[in-house]
C-alpha cells in the first residue's frame, strides 16, 4: 500500500529556467503537485505523479555535472576505484551528463547513454559513443546487438530519476556479463531524514532510495546487492554494488550492517516519515520568519546556487523577490534567466558575493565547503550564510 506522508504543494519543473517573464513565457510554465508516498510493501519512497521524462530531459537540459570541482574529484576517484576493483573490459554509463565520469576511461572501453541530446552531443564530440536515448528494454536490446555483455555498468544520480524501476533493473540484468557489476549511486533517504533536507524531493527525484527498498526491488529482477557505501556527495548519497543473483561476488559485511542500521532507524515504518513531515513544516515556518526578520532590518538577502533543490524550497515556502533579491550561480546557461516558479533573477557568481550583501541563503548547501573557499572575502567581512539543514540557522 502506498501512503501519502508529505505535501510539498505546487511545483514547477526544476530544470525549466525562464528566459524572460513575458506573458507568453509565464503562460507556458508547467506546474504539478509534489506529493511524496511511502510504499509499505517494499519500503520505497516515491513522488506520487512522476512527470513525462520527455518534458524533463530535453535538448535544453541545463545541469552540467562537471561544474563542481567536488563532483569532478569524486567521479575521478570512483572511476579509478571501479577499474582497479573489477578490471572491466567493457563498460557503460547510464546518464553520462557532460562526460565527467567518462573522461576517466579510454574512449574505446566505455559507451554511454544520455537522453538529453545537448549533453549526448558533447560526449559524442569528445569521442565517447553516446546513445541520446532513455534507458529501457528497447534500448538495451539495441545496444546488445552491437556490443557484448558489459562487465561494468555505472550510473550516478540517474536511476532514482526513472519511474519504472522494474524495467530498469530487468534491462540491467539483460546487459550484464556473467559476473558483471552494476554500480549506481543516488541521494539517500536516510540522509534526508537526518538532515531534514526535504529539498531532495523535486520532479527529477522520482524516488529516494534506502538499502532495504532497493534490496527488495533488485531481487525481483534476479539481481543481488553485494556491497553498499554511504557517501557525502549531494548532501548524502548511497552507492549500491549489484550483480546477477548467480554472480560470484562475495556479499560484504557492509550489507548486513546497513540493513540493521536502517531497521533500527525504522526506515521500514510509515511513522518515521510522518514525523519527518512534521519537521519539514516547522522548517518552513522558521525559514520564512528568519527572512521576514531580515527584510524588516532592510537587509538584502540573496541565494547561492540556482539549484533544483532550492526550487522546491522557494516554491514550497513561497519565497519570492520580496524575501530573496536574486540568485548567483556559476553556470553560464543559468545566468540571465529566472528560477522556475518563483522567478528570482539569476546572476553570475564570477565576482563573488557583492559587498552590499550580508546574508546569503545556501541553495547549494551540499557544496558549502567549496563555496566557503571561494567566498573568504564575504566571510571575513562578517557575512552570514543561511541554511535550513539540519535546522534553519545562520552559519
Ligand atoms: P546541484 O546541487 O543540482 O548539483 O547544483 C549546484 C548548482 O550550484 C549549480 O548550478 C552550480 C552552482 N554552484 C555555484 O554557482 N558555485 C559553486 O561554487 C558551486 C559548488 C555550485
Amino acid at each position: 500500500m502506498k501512503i501519502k506522508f508529505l505535501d510539498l504543494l505546487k511545483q514547477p519543473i526544476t530544470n525549466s529556467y525562464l528566459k524572460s517573464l513575458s506573458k507568453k513565457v509565464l503562460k507556458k510554465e508547467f506546474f504539478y503537485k509534489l506529493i511524496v508516498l511511502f510504499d509499505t510493501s517494499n519500503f520505497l519512497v516515491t513522488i506520487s505523479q512522476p512527470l513525462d521524462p520527455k518534458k524533463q530531459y530535453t535538448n535544453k537540459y541545463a545541469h552540467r555535472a562537471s561544474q563542481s570541482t567536488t563532483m569532478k574529484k569524486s567521479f575521478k576517484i570512483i572511476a579509478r576505484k571501479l577499474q582497479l576493483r573489477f578490471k572491466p573490459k567493457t563498460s557503460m554509463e547510464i546518464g553520462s551528463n557532460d562526460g565527467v565520469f567518462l573522461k576517466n576511461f579510454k574512449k574505446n572501453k566505455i559507451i554511454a547513454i544520455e537522453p538529453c541530446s545537448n549533453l549526448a552531443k558533447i560526449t559524442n564530440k569528445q569521442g565517447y559513443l553516446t546513445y541520446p536515448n532513455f534507458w529501457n528494454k528497447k534500448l538495451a536490446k539495441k545496444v546488445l546487438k552491437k556490443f557484448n555483455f558489459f562487465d561494468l555498468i555505472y550510473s550516478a544520480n540517474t536511476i532514482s530519476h526513472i519511474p519504472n524501476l522494474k524495467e530498469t533493473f530487468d534491462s540491467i540484468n539483460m546487459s550484464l556479463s556473467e559476473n558483471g557489476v552494476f554500480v549506481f549511486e543516488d541521494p539517500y533517504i536516510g540522509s534526508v531524514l537526518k538532515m531534514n533536507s526535504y529539498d531532495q524531493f523535486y520532479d527529477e527525484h522520482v524516488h529516494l532510495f534506502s538499502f532495504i527498498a532497493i534490496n527488495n526491488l533488485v531481487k525481483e529482477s534476479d539481481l543481488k546487492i553485494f556491497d553498499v557505501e554511504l557517501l557525502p556527495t549531494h548532501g548524502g548519497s548511497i552507492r549500491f554494488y549489484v550483480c546477477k543473483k548467480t554472480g560470484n561476488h562475495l556479499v560484504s559485511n557492509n550489507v548486513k550492517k546497513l540493513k540493521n542500521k536502517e531497521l533500527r532507524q525504522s526506515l521500514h515504518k510509515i511513522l518515521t516519515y510522518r514525523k519527518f513531515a512534521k519537521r519539514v513544516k516547522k522548517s518552513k515556518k522558521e525559514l520564512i520568519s528568519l527572512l521576514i526578520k531580515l527584510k524588516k532590518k532592510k537587509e538584502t538577502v540573496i541565494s547561492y546556487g540556482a539549484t533544483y533543490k532550492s526550487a522546491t524550497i522557494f516554491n514550497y515556502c513561497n519565497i519570492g523577490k520580496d524575501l530573496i533579491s536574486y540568485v548567483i550561480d556559476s553556470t553560464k546557461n543559468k545566468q540571465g534567466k529566472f528560477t522556475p516558479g518563483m522567478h528570482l533573477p539569476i546572476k553570475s557568481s564570477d565576482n563573488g558575493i557583492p559587498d552590499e550583501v550580508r546574508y546569503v541563503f545556501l541553495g547549494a548547501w551540499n557544496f558549502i565547503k567549496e563555496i566557503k573557499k571561494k567566498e573568504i572575502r564575504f566571510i571575513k567581512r562578517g557575512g552570514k550564510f543561511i541554511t535550513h539543514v539540519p535546522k534553519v540557522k545562520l552559519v
Side-chain angles (χ1 to χ4, degrees):
M1 190 177 43
K2 289 182 183 174
I3 303 177
K4 167 181 159 178
F5 67 90
L6 181 64
D7 184 351
L8 291 169
L9 309 176
K10 208 176 77 168
Q11 294 282 346
I13 295 186
T14 40
N15 188 44
S16 293
Y17 299 92
L18 284 73
K19 273 195 183 142
S20 79
L21 298 182
S22 71
K23 264 191 190 156
K24 198 175 150 201
V25 170
L26 293 183
K27 211 175 149 194
K28 264 195 178 166
E29 196 173 20
F30 178 86
F31 290 90
Y32 70 103
K33 278 182 144 200
L34 180 53
I35 289 170
V36 193
L37 313 171
F38 174 68
D39 190 328
T40 53
S41 60
N42 60 16
F43 313 138
L44 184 65
V45 171
T46 302
I47 67 174
S48 70
Q49 263 187 37
L51 304 183
D52 177 2
K54 287 188 192 122
K55 269 199 174 133
Q56 299 166 292
Y57 307 103
T58 64
N59 60 359
K60 293 192 178 59
Y61 197 76
H63 179 70
R64 300 284 183 275
S66 56
Q67 276 292 314
S68 146
T69 46
T70 313
M71 290 316 293
K72 256 203 269 190
K73 253 192 230 163
S74 120
F75 281 119
K76 192 172 178 181
I77 292 171
I78 181 63
R80 224 180 259 162
K81 194 166 141 180
L82 295 175
Q83 284 164 355
L84 278 175
R85 183 167 172 188
F86 301 112
K87 304 188 174 47
K89 289 200 180 76
T90 50
S91 305
M92 168 161 68
E93 186 184 12
I94 301 175
S96 50
N97 198 273
D98 58 359
V100 64
F101 174 79
L102 290 179
K103 266 178 211 154
N104 303 292
F105 282 72
K106 283 191 181 144
K107 289 176 184 161
N108 59 350
K109 296 280 183 209
I110 192 160
I111 67 155
I113 314 293
E114 174 50 66
C116 303
S117 55
N118 58 331
L119 297 173
K121 221 186 222 172
I122 298 175
T123 47
N124 268 319
K125 258 196 191 156
Q126 290 166 354
Y128 290 96
L129 174 64
T130 309
Y131 286 82
N133 302 100
F134 288 99
W135 177 251
N136 54 28
K137 243 182 203 162
K138 193 173 151 206
L139 180 66
K141 280 183 189 158
K142 185 174 162 186
V143 170
L144 286 175
K145 273 192 188 151
K146 207 168 159 195
F147 294 92
N148 253 331
F149 298 113
F150 293 88
D151 298 331
L152 170 69
I153 301 177
Y154 176 76
S155 186
N157 305 308
T158 300
I159 303 301
S160 63
H161 298 198
I162 306 178
N164 189 343
L165 291 178
K166 175 79 171 90
E167 179 170 351
T168 302
F169 292 139
D170 283 348
S171 318
I172 295 284
N173 194 341
M174 268 170 59
S175 311
L176 280 177
S177 59
E178 210 180 314
N179 288 311
V181 295
F182 170 42
V183 180
F184 67 106
E185 58 192 74
D186 287 273
Y188 180 47
I189 187 72
S191 307
V192 172
L193 297 178
K194 191 172 155 203
M195 303 288 286
N196 216 30
S197 47
Y198 65 90
D199 47 332
Q200 287 286 14
F201 291 104
Y202 53 85
D203 60 310
E204 293 192 2
H205 287 173
V206 175
H207 323 277
L208 280 178
F209 296 150
S210 61
F211 169 83
I212 48 175
I214 292 300
N215 198 33
N216 286 329
L217 292 166
V218 295
K219 273 185 196 158
E220 285 174 22
S221 297
D222 289 330
L223 295 164
K224 69 176 177 196
I225 301 173
F226 65 91
D227 204 357
V228 65
E229 285 172 280
L230 295 183
L231 314 165
T233 43
H234 288 300
S237 296
I238 182 163
R239 179 180 290 147
F240 298 96
Y241 293 76
V242 170
C243 65
K244 283 181 190 277
K245 197 169 81 180
T246 49
N248 67 358
H249 298 276
L250 290 180
V251 178
S252 131
N253 275 342
N254 297 341
V255 166
K256 201 171 162 190
K257 265 196 218 157
L258 187 59
K259 182 178 173 186
N260 288 339
K261 188 173 164 203
E262 289 190 353
L263 293 178
R264 275 198 311 275
Q265 291 173 336
S266 297
L267 296 196
H268 58 310
K269 291 186 182 156
I270 180 65
L271 185 63
T272 306
Y273 300 92
R274 289 205 198 285
K275 281 185 186 164
F276 163 69
K278 275 192 187 155
R279 295 198 297 276
V280 172
K281 274 192 184 160
K282 186 166 176 255
S283 173
K284 171 178 177 169
K285 265 192 199 158
E286 288 176 0
L287 180 60
I288 296 172
S289 78
L290 173 61
L291 293 174
I292 291 177
K293 210 167 90 187
L294 292 172
K295 187 187 170 181
K296 279 187 185 152
K297 284 188 184 167
K298 305 238 175 320
E299 292 286 353
T300 302
V301 182
I302 68 166
S303 183
Y304 208 109
T307 57
Y308 298 170
K309 289 196 274 295
S310 59
T312 295
I313 299 175
F314 296 158
N315 285 279
Y316 174 61
C317 300
N318 197 26
I319 294 170
K321 251 188 93 172
D322 52 331
L323 294 179
I324 290 191
S325 304
Y326 57 91
V327 182
I328 55 171
D329 196 292
S330 59
T331 316
K332 293 271 173 295
N333 55 344
K334 290 184 185 174
Q335 294 164 6
K337 294 185 180 161
F338 298 87
T339 64
M342 295 313 294
H343 310 150
L344 306 179
I346 305 171
K347 299 185 181 181
S348 163
S349 61
D350 291 354
N351 297 325
I353 298 166
D355 286 345
E356 68 276 14
V357 175
R358 294 203 300 158
Y359 293 91
V360 176
F361 179 71
L362 279 170
W365 57 268
N366 46 313
F367 291 116
I368 183 162
K369 271 193 197 154
E370 203 172 323
I371 293 170
K372 272 185 172 170
K373 255 191 218 164
K374 284 187 198 166
E375 298 296 342
I376 289 172
R377 224 178 39 170
F378 170 72
I379 296 166
K380 277 199 176 149
R381 68 178 156 81
K384 292 273 181 251
F385 288 111
I386 302 168
T387 186
H388 73 293
V389 289
K391 278 187 175 164
V392 174
K393 61 180 177 192
L394 296 176
V395 283

